[in-house]
Amino acid sequence: MTGDPHDEHLEPVYESLRKRGHRITAQREIILQIFREQPHGTHLSAEELYSNLLGRGSTVSLATTYRTLKLLSTLGLLRELDFAEGHKHYELKQDKVPHQHIICISCNTTIEFEDHFLEEAGQKIGARYNFEVIDAQFKIFGTCPACKASPPTGRTMRHNKNP
Amino acid sequence: MTGDPHDEHLEPVYESLRKRGHRITAQREIILQIFREQPHGTHLSAEELYSNLLGRGSTVSLATTYRTLKLLSTLGLLRELDFAEGHKHYELKQDKVPHQHIICISCNTTIEFEDHFLEEAGQKIGARYNFEVIDAQFKIFGTCPACKASPPTGRTMRHNKNP
DNA sequence: ATTCGTGCAAAATCTTTGCATTCGA
DNA sequence: TCGAATGCAAAGATTTTGCACGAAT
Protein backbone atom coordinates (compact mmCIF):
# COMPACT_ATOMS: atom_id res chain seq x y z
CA MET A 1 0.00 0.00 0.00
CA THR A 2 2.36 2.68 1.25
CA GLY A 3 5.42 1.25 -0.42
CA ASP A 4 8.23 0.25 1.88
CA PRO A 5 7.07 -2.51 4.19
CA HIS A 6 9.81 -1.64 6.62
CA ASP A 7 8.12 1.59 7.52
CA GLU A 8 5.91 -0.56 9.65
CA HIS A 9 7.30 0.60 12.93
CA LEU A 10 6.54 4.14 12.01
CA GLU A 11 2.88 3.39 11.60
CA PRO A 12 0.53 5.16 13.94
CA VAL A 13 -0.34 1.80 15.41
CA TYR A 14 3.18 1.33 16.70
CA GLU A 15 3.37 4.94 17.67
CA SER A 16 0.40 4.38 19.95
CA LEU A 17 2.25 1.58 21.64
CA ARG A 18 5.52 3.42 22.03
CA LYS A 19 3.86 6.61 23.11
CA ARG A 20 2.56 4.93 26.22
CA GLY A 21 5.70 3.02 27.01
CA HIS A 22 4.57 -0.32 25.63
CA ARG A 23 7.01 -2.48 23.76
CA ILE A 24 6.72 -3.75 20.27
CA THR A 25 7.04 -7.49 20.58
CA ALA A 26 6.87 -10.22 18.00
CA GLN A 27 3.61 -11.37 19.53
CA ARG A 28 1.98 -7.99 19.24
CA GLU A 29 3.20 -7.60 15.70
CA ILE A 30 1.82 -10.86 14.46
CA ILE A 31 -1.49 -10.31 16.17
CA LEU A 32 -1.83 -6.91 14.56
CA GLN A 33 -0.77 -8.46 11.27
CA ILE A 34 -3.56 -11.01 11.47
CA PHE A 35 -6.11 -8.31 12.08
CA ARG A 36 -4.79 -6.35 9.12
CA GLU A 37 -5.22 -9.36 6.88
CA GLN A 38 -8.85 -9.80 7.78
CA PRO A 39 -11.43 -8.57 5.33
CA HIS A 40 -12.82 -5.26 6.50
CA GLY A 41 -15.52 -5.87 9.04
CA THR A 42 -14.26 -9.21 10.28
CA HIS A 43 -14.38 -9.62 14.01
CA LEU A 44 -12.42 -12.32 15.75
CA SER A 45 -12.92 -13.82 19.15
CA ALA A 46 -9.92 -14.54 21.37
CA GLU A 47 -10.14 -18.22 20.50
CA GLU A 48 -10.45 -17.56 16.79
CA LEU A 49 -7.42 -15.34 16.88
CA TYR A 50 -5.52 -17.93 18.85
CA SER A 51 -6.39 -20.66 16.36
CA ASN A 52 -5.26 -18.41 13.57
CA LEU A 53 -1.99 -17.87 15.38
CA LEU A 54 -1.41 -21.56 15.91
CA GLY A 55 -2.40 -22.19 12.33
CA ARG A 56 0.47 -20.12 11.10
CA GLY A 57 2.96 -21.73 13.41
CA SER A 58 3.11 -18.99 15.97
CA THR A 59 3.71 -20.00 19.56
CA VAL A 60 1.88 -17.10 21.11
CA SER A 61 0.12 -18.31 24.21
CA LEU A 62 -3.56 -17.94 24.85
CA ALA A 63 -2.74 -15.80 27.86
CA THR A 64 -0.77 -13.38 25.74
CA THR A 65 -3.55 -13.40 23.19
CA TYR A 66 -5.95 -12.19 25.84
CA ARG A 67 -3.49 -9.71 27.27
CA THR A 68 -2.77 -8.27 23.87
CA LEU A 69 -6.42 -7.97 22.93
CA LYS A 70 -7.11 -6.09 26.10
CA LEU A 71 -4.14 -3.83 25.71
CA LEU A 72 -4.87 -2.97 22.10
CA SER A 73 -8.49 -2.29 22.94
CA THR A 74 -7.54 0.00 25.76
CA LEU A 75 -5.26 1.87 23.43
CA GLY A 76 -8.10 2.22 21.00
CA LEU A 77 -6.39 0.19 18.29
CA LEU A 78 -9.01 -2.53 18.40
CA ARG A 79 -12.72 -2.36 18.88
CA GLU A 80 -14.04 -4.69 21.51
CA LEU A 81 -17.44 -5.94 20.41
CA ASP A 82 -19.95 -7.80 22.45
CA PHE A 83 -22.78 -9.59 20.77
CA ALA A 84 -24.16 -11.11 23.93
CA GLU A 85 -22.75 -14.48 23.05
CA GLY A 86 -20.71 -14.97 26.17
CA HIS A 87 -17.44 -13.96 24.62
CA LYS A 88 -16.10 -10.84 22.98
CA HIS A 89 -15.05 -10.12 19.45
CA TYR A 90 -12.36 -7.78 18.24
CA GLU A 91 -11.69 -5.96 15.04
CA LEU A 92 -9.04 -3.57 13.88
CA LYS A 93 -10.12 -0.01 14.24
CA GLN A 94 -9.82 1.58 10.88
CA ASP A 95 -9.53 5.22 10.05
CA LYS A 96 -12.46 4.81 7.73
CA VAL A 97 -16.01 5.09 8.91
CA PRO A 98 -16.57 2.40 11.52
CA HIS A 99 -19.52 0.16 10.95
CA GLN A 100 -22.23 -0.81 13.38
CA HIS A 101 -24.06 -4.07 13.92
CA ILE A 102 -27.44 -5.70 13.82
CA ILE A 103 -27.46 -8.97 15.72
CA CYS A 104 -30.00 -11.76 15.53
CA ILE A 105 -30.47 -13.06 19.06
CA SER A 106 -31.69 -16.36 17.71
CA CYS A 107 -29.01 -17.45 15.24
CA ASN A 108 -26.30 -14.91 16.14
CA THR A 109 -26.01 -13.67 12.60
CA THR A 110 -24.60 -10.17 12.46
CA ILE A 111 -25.13 -7.65 9.70
CA GLU A 112 -22.98 -4.58 9.37
CA PHE A 113 -23.94 -1.15 8.26
CA GLU A 114 -22.34 2.24 8.19
CA ASP A 115 -23.86 5.44 9.35
CA HIS A 116 -21.98 8.69 9.48
CA PHE A 117 -24.47 10.28 11.76
CA LEU A 118 -23.94 7.70 14.47
CA GLU A 119 -20.21 8.31 14.43
CA GLU A 120 -20.62 12.00 14.89
CA ALA A 121 -23.23 11.45 17.54
CA GLY A 122 -20.79 9.39 19.56
CA GLN A 123 -18.16 12.07 19.44
CA LYS A 124 -20.56 14.85 20.26
CA ILE A 125 -22.26 13.13 23.13
CA GLY A 126 -18.96 12.02 24.57
CA ALA A 127 -17.66 15.56 24.37
CA ARG A 128 -20.74 16.77 26.15
CA TYR A 129 -19.66 14.76 29.17
CA ASN A 130 -15.99 15.51 28.79
CA PHE A 131 -15.15 11.96 27.88
CA GLU A 132 -12.21 11.05 25.75
CA VAL A 133 -14.10 8.83 23.33
CA ILE A 134 -12.38 5.61 22.32
CA ASP A 135 -15.22 3.95 20.50
CA ALA A 136 -18.91 4.41 19.90
CA GLN A 137 -20.98 1.35 19.20
CA PHE A 138 -24.53 1.13 18.05
CA LYS A 139 -26.04 -2.30 18.28
CA ILE A 140 -29.45 -3.42 17.23
CA PHE A 141 -30.63 -6.69 18.72
CA GLY A 142 -33.56 -8.48 17.20
CA THR A 143 -34.74 -11.40 15.16
CA CYS A 144 -33.61 -11.81 11.59
CA PRO A 145 -36.04 -12.52 8.75
CA ALA A 146 -35.07 -16.19 8.63
CA CYS A 147 -35.58 -16.76 12.35
CA LYS A 148 -38.82 -14.84 12.31
CA ALA A 149 -40.06 -17.27 9.68
CA SER A 150 -38.82 -20.46 11.28
CA PRO A 151 -38.07 -20.40 15.00
CA PRO A 152 -35.17 -22.73 15.91
CA THR A 153 -37.53 -25.30 17.43
CA GLY A 154 -41.07 -25.50 18.61
CA ARG A 155 -40.02 -25.38 22.23
CA THR A 156 -37.59 -23.49 24.39
CA MET A 157 -35.22 -21.67 22.14
CA ARG A 158 -31.54 -21.98 22.50
CA HIS A 159 -28.59 -20.08 21.16
CA ASN A 160 -26.26 -21.80 18.75
CA LYS A 161 -23.22 -22.86 20.65
CA ASN A 162 -21.46 -26.01 19.53
CA PRO A 163 -23.13 -27.08 16.33
CA MET B 1 -49.61 3.75 40.38
CA THR B 2 -52.49 2.48 38.29
CA GLY B 3 -54.72 1.71 41.22
CA ASP B 4 -55.63 -1.90 41.74
CA PRO B 5 -52.49 -3.94 42.41
CA HIS B 6 -54.32 -7.11 41.44
CA ASP B 7 -54.44 -6.08 37.83
CA GLU B 8 -50.87 -7.26 37.74
CA HIS B 9 -51.51 -10.36 35.73
CA LEU B 10 -53.19 -8.33 33.07
CA GLU B 11 -50.13 -6.20 32.58
CA PRO B 12 -48.50 -6.38 29.20
CA VAL B 13 -45.50 -7.94 30.89
CA TYR B 14 -47.50 -11.00 31.85
CA GLU B 15 -49.27 -10.99 28.55
CA SER B 16 -45.90 -11.32 26.86
CA LEU B 17 -45.18 -14.39 28.92
CA ARG B 18 -48.53 -16.05 28.38
CA LYS B 19 -48.65 -15.19 24.74
CA ARG B 20 -45.65 -17.37 24.11
CA GLY B 21 -46.69 -20.19 26.32
CA HIS B 22 -44.51 -19.31 29.29
CA ARG B 23 -45.87 -19.70 32.75
CA ILE B 24 -46.17 -17.06 35.39
CA THR B 25 -44.27 -18.39 38.34
CA ALA B 26 -43.57 -16.91 41.73
CA GLN B 27 -39.91 -16.66 40.77
CA ARG B 28 -40.60 -14.68 37.64
CA GLU B 29 -42.98 -12.43 39.48
CA ILE B 30 -40.59 -11.51 42.22
CA ILE B 31 -37.78 -10.91 39.79
CA LEU B 32 -39.93 -8.61 37.73
CA GLN B 33 -41.03 -6.95 40.94
CA ILE B 34 -37.47 -6.21 41.91
CA PHE B 35 -36.77 -4.63 38.57
CA ARG B 36 -39.88 -2.50 38.90
CA GLU B 37 -38.68 -1.23 42.24
CA GLN B 38 -35.37 -0.08 40.89
CA PRO B 39 -34.94 3.61 40.20
CA HIS B 40 -35.26 4.25 36.49
CA GLY B 41 -31.98 3.52 34.80
CA THR B 42 -30.70 1.02 37.32
CA HIS B 43 -29.09 -2.00 35.80
CA LEU B 44 -28.50 -5.12 37.82
CA SER B 45 -26.09 -7.95 37.20
CA ALA B 46 -27.21 -11.54 37.76
CA GLU B 47 -25.37 -11.64 41.05
CA GLU B 48 -26.79 -8.34 42.21
CA LEU B 49 -30.27 -9.50 41.42
CA TYR B 50 -29.62 -12.77 43.20
CA SER B 51 -28.36 -10.97 46.30
CA ASN B 52 -31.42 -8.79 46.24
CA LEU B 53 -33.58 -11.90 46.07
CA LEU B 54 -31.82 -13.54 48.97
CA GLY B 55 -32.00 -10.29 50.86
CA ARG B 56 -35.75 -10.34 50.80
CA GLY B 57 -35.95 -13.95 51.86
CA SER B 58 -36.64 -15.42 48.46
CA THR B 59 -35.27 -18.87 47.75
CA VAL B 60 -34.93 -18.40 44.03
CA SER B 61 -31.83 -20.22 42.88
CA LEU B 62 -29.00 -18.64 40.98
CA ALA B 63 -29.74 -20.95 38.08
CA THR B 64 -33.29 -19.72 37.87
CA THR B 65 -32.06 -16.18 38.16
CA TYR B 66 -29.95 -16.68 35.07
CA ARG B 67 -32.67 -18.55 33.23
CA THR B 68 -35.20 -15.86 33.98
CA LEU B 69 -32.92 -13.05 32.93
CA LYS B 70 -32.29 -14.76 29.64
CA LEU B 71 -35.94 -15.48 29.05
CA LEU B 72 -37.12 -11.99 29.85
CA SER B 73 -34.42 -10.52 27.66
CA THR B 74 -35.40 -12.73 24.77
CA LEU B 75 -38.98 -11.62 25.20
CA GLY B 76 -37.85 -8.04 25.10
CA LEU B 77 -39.00 -7.32 28.64
CA LEU B 78 -35.49 -6.66 29.88
CA ARG B 79 -32.56 -5.01 28.21
CA GLU B 80 -29.37 -6.99 28.36
CA LEU B 81 -26.48 -4.59 28.71
CA ASP B 82 -22.83 -5.30 28.34
CA PHE B 83 -20.30 -2.83 29.61
CA ALA B 84 -17.29 -4.98 28.85
CA GLU B 85 -16.88 -5.89 32.48
CA GLY B 86 -17.06 -9.63 32.11
CA HIS B 87 -20.67 -9.90 33.13
CA LYS B 88 -23.94 -8.56 31.87
CA HIS B 89 -26.38 -6.12 33.35
CA TYR B 90 -30.13 -6.02 32.98
CA GLU B 91 -32.74 -3.37 33.31
CA LEU B 92 -36.48 -3.28 32.88
CA LYS B 93 -37.44 -2.10 29.48
CA GLN B 94 -39.73 0.82 29.94
CA ASP B 95 -42.23 2.22 27.52
CA LYS B 96 -40.56 5.55 27.92
CA VAL B 97 -37.62 6.60 25.86
CA PRO B 98 -34.81 4.15 26.56
CA HIS B 99 -31.54 5.64 27.59
CA GLN B 100 -28.09 4.96 26.26
CA HIS B 101 -24.75 4.73 28.01
CA ILE B 102 -21.32 6.22 28.17
CA ILE B 103 -18.86 3.92 29.88
CA CYS B 104 -15.46 4.76 31.32
CA ILE B 105 -13.18 1.87 30.51
CA SER B 106 -10.96 2.83 33.37
CA CYS B 107 -13.26 3.09 36.37
CA ASN B 108 -16.39 1.52 34.85
CA THR B 109 -18.52 4.49 35.65
CA THR B 110 -21.54 4.71 33.40
CA ILE B 111 -23.47 7.81 32.51
CA GLU B 112 -26.88 7.67 30.96
CA PHE B 113 -28.40 9.93 28.39
CA GLU B 114 -31.50 9.94 26.26
CA ASP B 115 -31.65 10.62 22.60
CA HIS B 116 -34.81 10.28 20.60
CA PHE B 117 -32.99 10.18 17.34
CA LEU B 118 -31.03 7.09 18.29
CA GLU B 119 -34.21 5.24 19.14
CA GLU B 120 -35.75 5.99 15.80
CA ALA B 121 -32.52 5.15 14.05
CA GLY B 122 -32.55 1.71 15.62
CA GLN B 123 -36.07 1.02 14.44
CA LYS B 124 -35.45 2.35 10.95
CA ILE B 125 -32.22 0.55 10.35
CA GLY B 126 -33.64 -2.68 11.72
CA ALA B 127 -36.63 -2.37 9.45
CA ARG B 128 -34.31 -1.82 6.52
CA TYR B 129 -32.99 -5.34 7.07
CA ASN B 130 -36.34 -6.83 7.93
CA PHE B 131 -35.34 -7.42 11.51
CA GLU B 132 -37.84 -7.52 14.30
CA VAL B 133 -36.04 -5.10 16.60
CA ILE B 134 -35.97 -6.01 20.26
CA ASP B 135 -33.53 -3.41 21.49
CA ALA B 136 -31.18 -0.82 20.10
CA GLN B 137 -28.17 0.13 22.18
CA PHE B 138 -25.76 2.94 21.67
CA LYS B 139 -22.66 2.72 23.79
CA ILE B 140 -19.82 5.13 23.99
CA PHE B 141 -16.62 3.80 25.49
CA GLY B 142 -13.95 6.16 26.64
CA THR B 143 -12.19 7.73 29.55
CA CYS B 144 -14.09 9.90 31.97
CA PRO B 145 -12.83 13.32 33.07
CA ALA B 146 -11.65 11.99 36.42
CA CYS B 147 -9.63 9.16 34.93
CA LYS B 148 -8.20 11.43 32.27
CA ALA B 149 -6.88 13.62 35.05
CA SER B 150 -5.54 10.87 37.27
CA PRO B 151 -4.76 7.54 35.63
CA PRO B 152 -5.36 4.63 38.05
CA THR B 153 -1.62 4.08 38.47
CA GLY B 154 1.56 4.98 36.77
CA ARG B 155 1.90 1.50 35.33
CA THR B 156 -0.25 -1.06 33.63
CA MET B 157 -3.82 -0.12 34.18
CA ARG B 158 -6.31 -2.51 35.53
CA HIS B 159 -10.05 -2.57 35.71
CA ASN B 160 -11.73 -2.35 39.07
CA LYS B 161 -12.87 -5.79 40.02
CA ASN B 162 -13.12 -6.63 43.67
CA PRO B 163 -12.42 -3.42 45.56
C1' DA C 1 -52.64 -35.02 34.03
C1' DT C 2 -49.29 -32.97 31.52
C1' DT C 3 -45.73 -30.15 30.62
C1' DC C 4 -42.97 -26.51 32.00
C1' DG C 5 -40.06 -24.50 35.60
C1' DT C 6 -37.06 -25.00 39.49
C1' DG C 7 -33.21 -26.36 42.57
C1' DC C 8 -29.05 -28.47 43.10
C1' DA C 9 -24.63 -29.44 41.99
C1' DA C 10 -21.49 -30.38 38.51
C1' DA C 11 -19.63 -28.80 34.30
C1' DA C 12 -18.58 -25.78 30.66
C1' DT C 13 -16.84 -21.28 29.02
C1' DC C 14 -14.25 -17.61 28.99
C1' DT C 15 -10.69 -14.81 31.10
C1' DT C 16 -7.22 -13.57 34.46
C1' DT C 17 -3.09 -14.19 37.23
C1' DG C 18 1.41 -15.69 39.92
C1' DC C 19 5.79 -16.67 38.98
C1' DA C 20 10.08 -17.70 36.67
C1' DT C 21 12.15 -16.69 32.37
C1' DT C 22 12.97 -14.06 28.20
C1' DC C 23 13.28 -10.08 25.53
C1' DG C 24 13.00 -5.14 23.92
C1' DA C 25 14.63 -0.43 24.47
C1' DT D 1 20.98 -3.43 32.35
C1' DC D 2 16.20 -3.63 33.85
C1' DG D 3 11.65 -3.46 33.80
C1' DA D 4 8.07 -5.05 30.69
C1' DA D 5 6.19 -9.08 28.32
C1' DT D 6 5.58 -13.91 27.84
C1' DG D 7 4.42 -18.86 28.74
C1' DC D 8 2.58 -22.09 31.58
C1' DA D 9 -0.50 -23.87 34.50
C1' DA D 10 -3.64 -23.04 37.94
C1' DA D 11 -7.27 -20.24 39.57
C1' DG D 12 -11.30 -17.18 39.03
C1' DA D 13 -15.53 -15.56 37.40
C1' DT D 14 -19.63 -16.13 35.02
C1' DT D 15 -23.04 -18.84 32.94
C1' DT D 16 -25.09 -23.25 31.49
C1' DT D 17 -26.98 -27.84 32.06
C1' DG D 18 -28.71 -32.81 33.44
C1' DC D 19 -31.84 -34.68 36.26
C1' DA D 20 -35.55 -35.45 39.57
C1' DC D 21 -39.04 -33.07 41.85
C1' DG D 22 -42.66 -29.56 42.26
C1' DA D 23 -45.84 -26.32 40.23
C1' DA D 24 -48.85 -23.98 36.72
C1' DT D 25 -52.41 -24.54 33.39
Side-chain angles (χ1 to χ4, degrees):
Chain A
M1 283 264 161
T2 49
D4 189 343
H6 296 300
D7 283 338
E8 266 193 2
H9 284 202
L10 297 177
E11 280 186 34
V13 166
Y14 293 101
E15 272 307 295
S16 298
L17 280 171
R18 280 223 194 69
K19 209 182 318 177
R20 309 214 199 174
H22 297 292
R23 295 174 179 174
I24 297 175
T25 65
Q27 291 86 339
R28 288 171 183 171
E29 285 190 297
I30 189 174
I31 286 176
L32 279 165
Q33 183 54 38
I34 288 176
F35 274 109
R36 285 199 209 89
E37 291 173 6
Q38 302 302 313
H40 183 261
T42 304
H43 26 71
L44 304 173
S45 66
E47 285 291 352
E48 286 167 342
L49 171 59
Y50 184 57
S51 298
N52 194 316
L53 284 163
L54 295 183
R56 61 178 66 196
S58 167
T59 59
V60 177
S61 70
L62 184 57
T64 294
T65 300
Y66 273 105
R67 283 190 276 233
T68 303
L69 287 172
K70 175 161 282 186
L71 173 66
L72 298 181
S73 297
T74 301
L75 295 180
L77 300 178
L78 293 181
R79 284 182 101 187
E80 188 178 70
L81 303 167
D82 211 303
F83 300 136
E85 290 178 79
H87 58 265
K88 298 183 176 64
H89 285 263
Y90 300 82
E91 64 181 24
L92 194 58
K93 216 164 147 193
Q94 314 278 44
D95 292 329
K96 326 174 190 179
V97 178
H99 53 262
Q100 309 304 336
H101 303 84
I102 304 181
I103 304 105
C104 175
I105 65 168
S106 183
C107 66
N108 286 332
T109 298
T110 67
I111 293 178
E112 292 160 10
F113 67 92
E114 293 186 356
D115 189 312
H116 281 274
F117 180 89
L118 293 173
E119 302 315 312
E120 295 167 31
Q123 291 300 325
K124 282 183 195 161
I125 296 169
R128 188 187 304 163
Y129 294 94
N130 269 303
F131 264 63
E132 182 177 310
V133 177
I134 292 179
D135 190 29
Q137 301 180 6
F138 191 61
K139 285 199 280 271
I140 301 172
F141 292 96
T143 313
C144 72
C147 289
K148 266 196 294 188
S150 59
T153 322
R155 50 193 69 259
T156 308
M157 66 191 64
R158 176 158 302 166
H159 285 243
N160 294 336
K161 269 302 163 59
N162 299 316
Chain B
M1 283 269 162
T2 49
D4 190 341
H6 298 298
D7 284 338
E8 266 192 2
H9 284 201
L10 297 178
E11 279 186 35
V13 167
Y14 294 101
E15 272 306 295
S16 297
L17 280 171
R18 281 223 192 71
K19 208 183 319 180
R20 309 214 198 176
H22 298 292
R23 294 174 179 172
I24 298 175
T25 64
Q27 291 87 339
R28 289 172 182 170
E29 286 190 298
I30 190 174
I31 286 176
L32 279 165
Q33 183 53 38
I34 288 175
F35 275 108
R36 285 200 209 88
E37 291 173 7
Q38 301 303 313
H40 184 261
T42 304
H43 26 71
L44 305 173
S45 65
E47 285 292 351
E48 286 167 341
L49 171 58
Y50 184 57
S51 297
N52 194 317
L53 284 163
L54 296 184
R56 61 178 66 195
S58 168
T59 59
V60 177
S61 69
L62 184 56
T64 292
T65 300
Y66 274 104
R67 284 190 276 235
T68 302
L69 287 172
K70 174 160 283 186
L71 173 67
L72 298 180
S73 298
T74 300
L75 295 180
L77 300 177
L78 293 180
R79 286 182 99 186
E80 187 179 70
L81 303 167
D82 210 305
F83 301 136
E85 291 179 77
H87 58 264
K88 298 182 176 66
H89 285 262
Y90 300 82
E91 64 181 24
L92 194 58
K93 215 161 147 195
Q94 312 278 42
D95 292 328
K96 326 173 188 177
V97 177
H99 53 263
Q100 308 304 335
H101 302 84
I102 304 181
I103 304 105
C104 175
I105 65 168
S106 183
C107 66
N108 286 332
T109 298
T110 66
I111 294 178
E112 292 159 12
F113 66 92
E114 292 187 358
D115 189 311
H116 281 273
F117 180 89
L118 293 174
E119 301 317 311
E120 295 167 31
Q123 290 300 325
K124 283 183 195 163
I125 297 169
R128 186 187 305 163
Y129 294 94
N130 268 302
F131 263 64
E132 182 178 310
V133 178
I134 292 179
D135 191 29
Q137 301 180 7
F138 191 60
K139 285 200 280 270
I140 300 172
F141 292 96
T143 312
C144 72
C147 289
K148 267 195 293 189
S150 58
T153 322
R155 51 191 68 260
T156 308
M157 66 192 64
R158 177 159 304 167
H159 285 243
N160 293 337
K161 268 303 163 57
N162 299 316

